Amino acid sequence: MEAKAHLRYVRISPRKVQIVCDLIRGKSVAQATAILMNTPKAAAEPLLKLLKSAVANAENNHGLDPEKLYVAETFATPGPIIKRMMPRAQGRGYRINKRTSHVTITVAEN
């Protein structure tokens, strides 16, 4: 049995979130929590919150033991891109892409 949690429209590039996802994939929930609490990346804080949500879903909705859970799957996919303009010389405008992510964490029992 497994439980999922989704985080949508987070304002961090999926490329940056994926680095932190790779750190916790396959680890136990306790170990993944410790890693996220000590990782100095911007994506670590929302991922920690998402991991706690997935554990709560597993415990409350599926009746799984939180001590036996591990991070079975975690990935970040691109969300919509917010497009902005940056004024440049001679009246031009360069486009700035502000990327968003959709993150999914799946926890399962050993």
Side-chain angles (χ1 to χ4, degrees), residues 2 18 29 42 45 54-55 59 66 70-71 75 82-84 89 91:
E2 58 185 30
Q18 196 64 46
V29 168
E45 192 175 332
V55 171
E59 188 177 2
Y70 74 100
V71 180
F75 56 90
I82 303 165
K83 297 173 180 83
R84 298 289 180 260

Side-chain angles (χ1 to χ4, degrees), residues 1-4 54 56-65:
M1 182 64 78
E2 58 185 30
K4 289 185 179 185
N57 288 344
E59 188 177 2
N60 296 317
N61 300 344
H62 302 290
L64 301 176
D65 182 18

Side-chain angles (χ1 to χ4, degrees), residues 4-8 21 50 73-76 102-106:
K4 289 185 179 185
H6 302 281
L7 175 61
R8 300 198 191 280
C21 287
L50 184 63
E73 189 177 44
T74 176
F75 56 90
H102 299 321
V103 187
T104 302
I105 289 184
T106 305

Side-chain angles (χ1 to χ4, degrees), residues 35-97:
I35 290 169
L36 288 175
M37 289 179 81
N38 292 299
T39 302
K41 293 273 189 190
E45 192 175 332
L47 275 177
L48 179 61
K49 193 172 178 180
L50 184 63
L51 179 62
K52 288 180 180 178
S53 176
V55 171
N57 288 344
E59 188 177 2
N60 296 317
N61 300 344
H62 302 290
L64 301 176
D65 182 18
E67 299 296 319
K68 297 179 182 176
L69 294 176
Y70 74 100
V71 180
E73 189 177 44
T74 176
F75 56 90
T77 56
I81 298 171
I82 303 165
K83 297 173 180 83
R84 298 289 180 260
M85 295 301 285
M86 173 71 94
R88 303 305 291 177
Q90 300 178 1
R92 292 183 178 91
Y94 285 2
R95 192 163 81 180
I96 305 291
N97 291 329

